[in-house]
Amino acid sequence: MNDRGRTRLYRRLPRSRRAVVGGLILLVVVLTALLAPWLAPYDPLDQDLLDRGHPASAEHPLGLDEVGRDNLSRVMHGARLSLQIGVVSVTLALAAGGLLGLAAGYRGGWLDSAITSALDVVQAVPSLLLAIVVVAILGRGLHNVIYGVAIAMVPVYARLTRVGVLAAKEQPYVEAARALGVRRGRLLVYHILPACLTPLLVQATLGVGTAILEAAGLSFLGLGVQPPAPEWGAMLGQGRGAVLSAPHIVLYPGLAIAITVLGFNLLGEGVQEALDVHRWTTTQTPK
């Protein structure tokens, strides 16, 4: 994305209702995650076995979970782990997929065929199932969940980068730079890669929400973040046995996941609208 594209994004993004709503939601979630140690009324690991499963009250606004831990405190602290998983896994997938896409699109030939075939194999497996396989091989835990989710998302970013490189390397300004003797590394970084950033930025914004969902699914199945760590998916998995007798135990972490994913989706759609040149040209053309 060049300076003109960044300027267009900064000017149009605040005019998108979806982006504004999504940004406000994520601002609240991020601030909650950052300030959780000070905002949470209780330690997320403290237990009150005598009142376990107790519904909402003045002392515990979201009630207690299945072993007597404060639900509000655990949901607040859970935002830290869920955001960490989502952002780090997307960053790793974007870096790995971007390198593969650059190599495949720019070099072409047998390397392009080999990388594309490998991506086809990986993408043929459902992303959650692939993440389960990776975690089953590497073992349970936070870091392995991040690796599993990231590997499952690599093909998306690799294909987007490859398509952008194929389109950009045939442009006149790239041909001119190559004719002037610009080195390959500089050509890729300063001339070709910026043309790929717009779709990658949109996909990365949407991808964080998807990563949070997949990580929550792994934790729900017992393959992700392990108890007693307060992670939203793990909270759902631990409280599913009490869903009829104490539905508040799974209600609030489920709502936290839904609201956070909604925020990322709205922001991603807003970024896509802001970068859609055809849309803004059409709407601003005088009739």
Side-chain angles (χ1 to χ4, degrees):
M1 186 187 301
N2 53 26
D3 293 338
R4 187 175 180 181
R6 285 193 292 269
T7 302
R8 184 167 63 240
L9 177 62
Y10 296 150
R11 289 180 178 178
R12 296 174 179 174
L13 197 59
R15 296 161 60 185
S16 170
R17 294 181 180 178
R18 295 180 179 179
V20 171
V21 174
L24 290 175
I25 292 174
L26 294 180
L27 178 62
V28 172
V29 175
V30 171
L31 288 177
T32 301
L34 293 175
L35 301 176
W38 298 276
L39 292 178
Y42 300 94
D43 188 306
L45 303 182
D46 285 348
Q47 300 181 8
D48 184 0
L49 296 176
L50 296 178
D51 290 329
R52 57 185 180 180
H54 196 277
S57 63
E59 190 177 1
H60 302 282
L62 301 187
L64 300 176
D65 68 3
E66 68 283 354
V67 293
R69 295 170 296 199
D70 183 66
N71 240 3
L72 176 59
S73 300
R74 289 182 64 77
V75 169
M76 286 182 171
H77 281 270
R80 314 186 86 186
L81 284 176
S82 295
L83 287 177
Q84 178 183 350
I85 293 171
V87 173
V88 175
S89 60
V90 167
T91 302
L92 293 177
L94 181 60
L99 290 175
L100 290 173
L102 277 174
Y106 187 77
R107 292 298 299 270
W110 67 268
L111 183 61
D112 184 19
S113 299
I115 293 177
T116 303
S117 299
L119 294 176
D120 288 338
V121 173
V122 174
Q123 207 163 20
V125 182
S127 58
L128 182 57
L129 179 58
L130 179 59
I132 291 174
V133 172
V134 173
V135 173
I137 294 173
L138 298 178
R140 304 175 182 180
L142 174 63
H143 293 91
N144 293 337
V145 169
I146 292 175
Y147 297 147
V149 174
I151 291 173
M153 301 177 72
V154 164
V156 176
Y157 299 102
R159 290 186 179 280
L160 283 175
T161 306
R162 176 181 176 272
V163 170
V165 171
L166 289 175
K169 74 177 186 178
E170 303 299 333
Q171 295 298 317
Y173 67 87
V174 175
E175 295 290 344
R178 188 181 291 114
L180 291 173
V182 176
R183 293 183 179 180
R184 182 181 303 171
R186 186 177 181 85
L187 186 69
L188 286 171
V189 173
Y190 292 99
H191 297 278
I192 294 179
L193 186 59
C196 310
L197 292 183
T198 296
L200 288 175
L201 176 61
V202 175
Q203 184 58 43
T205 308
L206 296 171
V208 175
T210 302
I212 290 175
L213 277 177
E214 292 191 355
L218 290 172
S219 298
F220 180 83
L221 296 173
L223 298 174
V225 178
Q226 297 301 297
E231 195 270 336
W232 292 337
M235 293 169 66
L236 289 175
Q238 295 165 32
R240 65 179 180 267
V243 66
L244 296 179
S245 59
H248 66 277
I249 295 177
V250 297
L251 173 62
Y252 297 114
L255 282 176
I257 294 173
I259 292 172
T260 304
V261 172
L262 176 64
F264 278 108
N265 287 345
L266 289 176
L267 182 60
E269 291 175 0
V271 172
Q272 187 174 23
E273 289 179 358
L275 295 174
D276 188 354
V277 178
H278 176 73
R279 174 180 179 272
W280 287 91
T281 303
T282 303
T283 55
Q284 295 179 8
T285 301
K287 296 181 180 180

